[in-house]
């Protein structure tokens, strides 16, 4: 029986599967995710499950993962991932096995379409439940969970990942893109991609406008971290929309504490020069491109974005440090 959409969130996976190219020979079942338009396939082997993903944002997702590793769990935890290139034998094995496991014409056509791309990501299968589908919704009011959500938001602000909690973005958020693991209540972000902005003319300045929003957020945060920021109301509303739970001011302040600590860690650990080196390393991880697909994706990781957002964070770094020190 194929994995159901609900069960798909709760299967466990051994991390060794992620780094084991022979897993495809042992794969027994495959489920094509119905969430979003990208090619996301959950493959089940006797030892557990692993995720295969294709699409045109792979480089941006890889870079988000690289930045998360650089910053560490004090800011955000993302699934472990690795890149599979079209010149590798494993690339063929993945496509062949998923086609073999396809049940029905529609699934087979989706596999053929989505895996007809030169690069795949093999990803850790995240255990736990999305915030929008917690078995016990009250868990979202847990202080440990709330502070982690604040740290996740700080990272999302850095990379302009707008599809999670709507702190500085005009949307309803997407609480399917943040999981809480069972037991230790660890928060894990999924579908995390860098979305870089740039100014295009004297009248169209999306990056400048975004930096102004980030500055306004930081000004409020360092001025009075014990009062709920206006920007947090959109987050409160999003949580209620997705979960049916109302967060009180005390819950929002726990989240703000995590936000403050997250921004402080980013300002401490990540310099613009380091971002440049990490992007260069990502670019060189592919030596044989295919019709400039990889080059095109990497080009969208615009250094100007990190320079200007980083400059805003740098200006607030001393005050962030003071506020974090006062929490101890």
């Amino acid at each position: 029986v194929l994995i159901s959409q609900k069960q798909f969130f709760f299967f466990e996976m051994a991390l060794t599967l992620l780094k084991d190219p022979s897993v495809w020979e042992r794969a027994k079942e495959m489920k094509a995710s119905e969430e979003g338009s990208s090619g996301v396939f959950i493959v089940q082997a006797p030892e557990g499950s692993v995720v295969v993903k294709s699409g045109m944002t792979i480089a941006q997702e890889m870079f988000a993962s690289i930045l998360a590793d650089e910053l560490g769990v004090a800011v955000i935890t993302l699934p472990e991932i690795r890149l599979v290139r079209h010149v590798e034998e494993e690339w063929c094995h993945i496509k062949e096995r998923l086609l073999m496991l396809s049940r029905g014409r529609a699934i087979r056509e989706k596999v053929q379409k989505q895996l007809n791309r030169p690069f795949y990501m093999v990803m850790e299968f995240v255990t736990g439940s999305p915030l929008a589908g917690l078995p016990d919704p009250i868990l979202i009011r847990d202080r440990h969970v709330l502070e982690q959500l604040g740290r996740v938001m700080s990272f999302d602000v850095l990379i302009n990942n707008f599809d999670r909690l709507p702190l500085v973005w005009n949307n309803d958020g997407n609480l399917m893109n943040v999981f809480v693991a069972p037991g230790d209540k660890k928060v894990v972000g999924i579908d995390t991609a860098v979305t870089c902005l740039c100014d295009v003319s004297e009248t169209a300045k999306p990056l400048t406008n975004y930096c102004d929003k980030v500055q306004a957020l930081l000004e409020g945060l360092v001025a009075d971290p014990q009062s709920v920021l206006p920007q947090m109301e959109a987050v409160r509303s999003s949580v209620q929309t997705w979960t049916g739970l109302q967060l009180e001011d005390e819950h929002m302040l726990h989240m703000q504490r995590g936000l403050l600590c997250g921004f402080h860690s980013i300002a401490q650990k990540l310099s613009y020069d380091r971002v440049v080196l990490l992007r260069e390393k990502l670019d060189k991880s592919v030596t044989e491109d295919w019709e400039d697909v990889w080059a095109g994706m990497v080009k969208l990781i615009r250094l100007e974005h990190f320079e200007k957002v980083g400059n805003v964070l740098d200006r607030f770094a001393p005050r962030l440090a003071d506020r974090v020190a006062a929490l101890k």
Side-chain angles (χ1 to χ4, degrees):
V1 179
L2 281 178
I3 304 168
S4 71
Q5 192 68 24
K6 184 176 181 180
Q7 287 173 318
F8 140 127
F9 295 117
F10 300 94
F11 270 90
E12 291 192 358
M13 157 208 170
L15 251 184
T16 51
L17 283 176
L18 184 66
K19 301 175 182 179
D20 182 5
S22 68
V23 65
W24 316 112
E25 299 171 9
R26 304 188 299 278
K28 301 297 183 182
E29 302 285 350
M30 183 272 291
K31 171 74 177 180
S33 173
E34 298 172 6
E35 301 291 334
S37 58
S38 295
V40 179
F41 305 95
I42 301 90
V43 181
Q44 189 181 1
E47 309 96 317
S49 301
V50 68
V51 178
V52 176
K53 185 171 184 178
S54 68
M56 297 305 295
T57 61
I58 283 181
Q60 293 94 314
E61 292 186 56
M62 293 287 297
F63 196 60
S65 179
I66 290 169
L67 291 176
D69 287 344
E70 185 77 7
L71 293 167
V73 295
V75 177
I76 190 171
T77 299
L78 299 181
E80 292 202 27
I81 62 178
R82 64 181 175 88
L83 184 66
V84 179
R85 304 154 184 84
H86 64 101
V87 294
E88 298 170 16
E89 189 175 354
E90 186 183 3
W91 185 91
C92 296
H93 289 167
I94 292 173
K95 188 173 183 178
E96 291 170 359
R97 191 61 179 171
L98 266 59
L99 283 170
M100 187 180 302
L101 294 173
S102 299
R103 305 285 182 86
R105 179 178 177 180
I107 297 296
R108 186 175 180 83
E109 289 178 350
K110 182 168 186 176
V111 170
Q112 288 177 323
K113 177 182 177 181
Q114 296 295 343
L115 296 189
N116 190 30
R117 302 178 188 271
F119 305 102
Y120 308 151
M121 286 191 300
V122 178
M123 306 172 63
E124 173 188 358
F125 185 82
V126 178
T127 60
S129 308
L131 280 185
L134 291 173
D136 181 8
I138 297 298
L139 186 60
I140 200 172
R141 291 176 176 162
D142 181 271
R143 177 173 180 171
H144 182 57
V145 171
L146 290 166
E147 289 192 5
Q148 287 181 86
L149 290 174
R151 293 171 186 269
V152 167
M153 286 193 292
S154 70
F155 184 76
D156 286 343
V157 169
L158 171 69
I159 67 172
N160 188 30
N161 182 52
F162 51 81
D163 195 25
R164 192 147 34 220
L165 288 161
L167 183 62
V168 292
W169 303 279
N170 297 321
N171 59 41
D172 295 327
N174 185 354
L175 269 62
M176 295 296 289
N177 282 342
V178 56
F179 275 53
V180 180
D184 62 1
K185 302 176 185 177
K186 182 169 70 173
V187 171
V188 181
I190 68 167
D191 286 350
T192 306
V194 170
T195 308
C196 293
L197 299 170
C198 65
D199 292 339
V200 295
S201 70
E202 286 298 317
T203 56
K205 296 185 174 182
L207 178 55
T208 296
N209 295 338
Y210 183 74
C211 288
D212 289 344
K213 287 184 178 182
V214 175
Q215 178 167 317
L217 174 69
L218 288 166
E219 284 175 346
L221 190 61
V222 299
D224 186 6
Q226 297 306 314
S227 296
V228 178
L229 296 170
Q231 294 91 336
M232 295 294 288
E233 295 303 329
V235 176
R236 192 194 319 243
S237 177
S238 178
V239 170
Q240 184 169 18
T241 297
W242 283 88
T243 69
L245 288 180
Q246 173 73 27
L247 295 182
E248 305 300 332
D249 283 359
E250 65 174 303
H251 303 126
M252 304 310 294
L253 290 176
H254 289 318
M255 208 180 291
Q256 277 186 203
R257 180 188 178 104
L259 184 67
L260 177 67
C261 293
F263 278 134
H264 171 59
S265 293
I266 293 170
Q268 270 194 320
K269 296 180 179 180
L270 195 65
S271 67
Y272 173 71
D273 289 343
R274 185 61 181 161
V275 172
V276 173
L277 290 174
L278 292 172
R279 182 184 182 275
E280 182 180 351
K281 181 179 178 181
L282 176 71
D283 190 17
K284 291 182 177 179
S285 67
V286 169
T287 56
E288 294 185 48
D289 205 343
W290 185 81
E291 295 187 357
D292 291 329
V293 169
W294 185 254
M297 289 190 290
V298 173
K299 186 177 180 181
L300 294 176
I301 304 171
R302 297 184 174 95
L303 292 174
E304 178 188 6
H305 173 97
F306 290 99
E307 181 180 23
K308 291 195 173 182
V309 174
N311 286 342
V312 176
L313 280 169
D314 287 345
R315 289 199 296 271
F316 284 89
R319 295 166 70 188
L320 287 168
D322 290 342
R323 286 300 187 182
V324 170
L327 295 175
K328 299 176 181 178

